[in-house]
Amino acid sequence: MTLHQFLLILRARYRVALMIIVLAVLAALAVSLVLPKKYVAETAVLVDIRSPDPVAGAAVQGLVAPSYMATQVDIIGGDRVAQRVIKMLKLDENPGTRERWMQATQGRGTMEAWIVESLQRRLEVRPARESNVINITYKGSDPDSAAQIANAFAQAYLDINLALKTEPARLYAEWFDEQTKASRAKLEVAQARLSDFQQKAGIVSSDERVDYETTKLSEISSQLTVVQGQTTDSQSKRNSRGDTVAEVMQSPLINGLKADIARLEAKVQETSVNLGANHPLRQRAESELASLKSRLASESGRISASIDTAYRVGKDREAELQAAVGAQRARVLMLNKQRDELNVYRRDVEAAQRAYEAVSQSASQTRLQSLTNQTNVVRLNTATAPANPSSPKLLFNLLIAAFGGTLLGVACALLLELANRRVRSTEDLVQMLDLPVLASISSSGRSRRLPGSGRLALGNGSTA
C-alpha cells in the first residue's frame, strides 16, 4: 500500500476515524471528571554521611554511601516508620478507618497492618540524583491530609533513625555496665591478692629491699675473704718454727733478750776462763743467762700462743662468716623469688586495670550514644497542602485520548477497507487486475496523457 492509497482510504472513511477519536476524547473527559482527585504532598530530608559521629567519631565511607542511602530509603518505606505514623496521627483510632478496614477485609488480619499497607501504596520515596537528599511524596484524596501524612513520615523517619542509633547503644551500654562491674571485681581481687602478699612477705619496696640485701651479701663476702686470708696466714705461721716467725724475728723485746743472752754467754765464757767454773761471778752470770733464756722462751711461747689464738679465732670467724654468707644468699634468693611473685601479682593488677579502663571507656561511649538526641538526618522543608490536584490531569488525558483515538480510528478505517476493498485509484486496478491502465477519466472533464504506453487520462477520473 502506497502513501497515496493510504490517504485515499482515510479520506473515504474519515467519518469512522473521526467518530472513534471523538468517542475516545469524550470517554477520557468523562473518566477524568468521574475519577476522584488526588493531591500530592512532598517533603525532603538530608542525610549527612560525611560528618563524623560526634560520639564515636566515625564517618560513612565513600564506597558504603550508596548502600547507606538505599538502606535509608528502605527504612522510610518500611513498616516501622509507617507504624510510627499511625501512632503519631492516631489513624487506628479513627472510626471511619475502622469501617473501611471492615469493608475491605471483613475483619481478617489486623487493622494496623491494613493501614500500613494502605499508607505504603500511596507513599513514594526516592533519593535525588548525585546528592544525599531523599524526597518523600505522599498521594491522597485530601490536600491537607496528604501534607500531614507526608510530614508525619518525615518526622517518623527522624524518630526511627534516632531510635535505630540509640537502641543498640542502650543495649550495649547495659552489657558494658555488667562487664564493667565484672572487670572492677577482678581488679579488686587482683589488688587484694597483691596487698595480702606484700603484707605476708613484709614487702614495702621490693627493689630497694633486694638491693640492700644484695649489698649486704657483697659486704659479708668481702669480710669472709679478708678473714680467710688472715686465717691462712696464721696457719702458715703456726706451722713454722717459733724463731722463724716474723712476729718473733721482728719483736724488739726478743731481739733485746737475744742480745743480752749473747752478751752474758760471752761473759760466762770469759769468767770460766779467768776465774773458774765455781767462781761466784761466773755462777751469777750463768744464773742471769738462764733467766734471760727462760724469759726469751716465755716471750717466744707467748707470741706463738697469740698466733695460735689468732688462728683459732680466724677459723671461728670464718665459719661464722660462711654461715652468714649462706644465710644472706638464701635471703637474697628468697627476696628474688618474692619479687618474681610480686611482679606476677602486679602484672595481674595491671592487666585487670587495662581491661577495666577499656571496658569503662566503651561503656561511657555507648552510654553517651544511648543518650544522644541528634541524628545525621535534617528536614529540608515541610510539606504544604497542594493547591491543585496531581490527578486526574484533564489536558494530559485528553491529549492521550486524542492520540490513542487517532491511532485506533486509523486502524479501524484500514480494517474496514480491508474487509470491503474498493477501487480508489489506478494503483488499485493495477494491483488487483495486473493489467495496464490506458487512460483515466476525471470528474473535471479534462483529459491528459498518462505517462508510459500512450495512455490517455480523461477529466472524469476514469481511465481508458
Side-chain angles (χ1 to χ4, degrees):
M1 180 181 296
T2 64
L3 179 61
H4 182 255
Q5 291 175 321
F6 177 72
L7 294 177
L8 290 176
I9 293 172
L10 291 183
R11 188 179 66 177
R13 299 186 180 274
Y14 76 93
R15 293 184 180 86
V16 175
L18 183 60
M19 181 180 63
I20 293 176
I21 294 172
V22 172
L23 291 176
V25 172
L26 292 177
L29 178 61
V31 170
S32 299
L33 296 177
V34 170
L35 285 178
K37 295 181 179 181
K38 298 294 183 181
Y39 296 87
V40 174
E42 183 176 2
T43 183
V45 294
L46 172 64
V47 182
D48 187 6
I49 60 177
R50 295 185 178 181
S51 300
D53 189 276
V55 179
V60 180
Q61 299 297 327
L63 295 177
V64 187
S67 62
Y68 182 81
M69 293 296 295
T71 302
Q72 301 307 307
V73 171
D74 293 338
I75 291 174
I76 298 175
D79 293 347
R80 189 168 180 180
V81 174
Q83 292 171 357
R84 177 70 178 172
V85 171
I86 294 174
K87 299 300 181 183
M88 292 173 59
L89 301 180
K90 299 180 180 180
L91 299 178
D92 53 347
E93 300 178 5
N94 191 344
T97 304
R98 180 173 295 276
E99 293 178 1
R100 289 193 297 271
W101 167 65
M102 291 297 296
Q103 293 176 359
T105 63
Q106 285 76 41
R108 292 190 300 269
T110 61
M111 185 175 66
E112 186 179 40
W114 180 79
I115 299 175
V116 167
E117 183 180 0
S118 176
L119 291 175
Q120 291 174 346
R121 282 199 310 268
R122 302 177 182 179
L123 178 69
E124 182 181 0
V125 183
R126 61 184 185 279
R129 295 186 59 183
E130 299 180 358
S131 70
N132 300 330
V133 177
I134 299 178
N135 297 312
I136 302 174
T137 304
Y138 186 81
K139 181 183 293 186
S141 57
D142 180 68
D144 296 329
S145 177
Q148 186 181 18
I149 294 177
N151 292 325
F153 265 99
Q155 186 60 44
Y157 167 62
L158 295 178
D159 298 340
I160 296 301
N161 185 275
L162 179 61
L164 291 176
K165 180 183 294 185
T166 57
E167 286 179 1
R170 187 178 298 108
L171 296 177
Y172 277 121
E174 295 176 357
W175 183 80
F176 275 119
D177 287 339
E178 297 177 358
Q179 297 302 315
T180 301
K181 294 178 182 179
S183 299
R184 186 187 296 113
K186 292 180 180 179
L187 177 60
E188 292 174 354
V189 170
Q191 289 177 342
R193 290 173 58 188
L194 176 61
S195 300
D196 293 341
F197 180 78
Q198 287 179 330
Q199 292 177 2
K200 182 179 179 180
I203 299 175
V204 178
S205 178
S206 60
D207 295 334
E208 294 180 358
R209 187 177 180 185
V210 171
D211 293 340
Y212 170 75
E213 297 296 340
T214 303
T215 303
K216 186 176 180 181
L217 176 62
S218 300
E219 293 177 355
I220 296 175
S221 299
S222 299
Q223 294 177 8
L224 176 61
T225 302
V226 173
V227 171
Q228 285 178 342
Q230 293 175 354
T231 303
T232 302
D233 184 63
S234 299
Q235 185 178 5
S236 63
K237 290 179 181 180
R238 183 184 180 192
N239 294 332
S240 302
R241 292 185 305 167
D243 55 351
T244 60
V245 178
E247 284 79 359
V248 176
M249 295 177 65
Q250 296 174 0
S251 176
L253 179 59
I254 291 178
N255 290 331
L257 290 175
K258 287 182 178 181
D260 291 342
I261 290 173
R263 182 178 54 79
L264 287 176
E265 285 179 348
K267 186 178 180 180
V268 169
Q269 186 68 25
E270 183 183 359
T271 56
S272 293
V273 174
N274 296 328
L275 299 178
N278 294 325
H279 193 275
L281 291 175
R282 182 180 178 280
Q283 291 180 352
R284 187 175 65 182
E286 290 181 351
S287 175
E288 290 179 357
L289 180 60
S291 175
L292 288 175
K293 289 182 177 180
S294 174
R295 188 177 176 185
L296 177 61
S298 174
E299 187 64 25
S300 298
R302 186 183 65 79
I303 292 175
S304 298
S306 65
I307 292 174
D308 187 66
T309 300
Y311 171 75
R312 289 194 300 271
V313 171
K315 293 297 289 185
D316 293 340
R317 179 62 177 165
E318 181 180 352
E320 291 177 358
L321 289 176
Q322 286 179 348
V325 168
Q328 189 65 22
R329 184 179 291 109
R331 185 172 182 81
V332 171
L333 292 176
M334 182 189 68
L335 288 177
N336 289 331
K337 182 179 179 181
Q338 290 179 351
R339 182 176 61 179
D340 294 339
E341 294 180 0
L342 183 64
N343 290 333
V344 172
Y345 288 120
R346 283 178 175 174
R347 284 193 292 270
D348 292 341
V349 172
E350 291 174 357
Q353 181 71 30
R354 288 194 297 269
Y356 172 72
E357 290 176 354
V359 173
S360 179
Q361 183 179 2
S362 300
S364 300
Q365 183 175 349
T366 53
R367 194 178 299 111
L368 287 176
Q369 288 179 345
S370 65
L371 297 177
T372 184
N373 57 359
Q374 300 294 328
T375 65
N376 62 334
V377 181
V378 181
R379 292 186 62 176
L380 294 181
N381 54 42
T382 301
T384 58
N388 299 317
S390 61
S391 64
K393 298 179 179 179
L394 182 60
L395 181 59
F396 180 77
N397 292 341
L398 293 178
L399 291 176
I400 293 296
F403 179 75
T406 301
L407 294 179
L408 183 60
V410 171
C412 290
L414 292 177
L415 290 176
L416 291 175
E417 182 67 21
L418 293 176
N420 187 11
R421 194 76 171 90
R422 299 290 181 90
V423 177
R424 303 188 184 279
S425 64
T426 57
E427 288 86 353
D428 294 339
L429 289 175
V430 172
Q431 291 179 358
M432 295 174 61
L433 302 177
D434 194 18
L435 294 174
V437 177
L438 300 178
S440 64
I441 300 174
S442 63
S443 59
S444 61
R446 295 175 301 172
S447 63
R448 59 185 177 87
R449 178 69 62 180
L450 295 176
S453 304
R455 291 178 295 177
L456 179 63
L458 301 180
N460 57 0
S462 62
T463 60

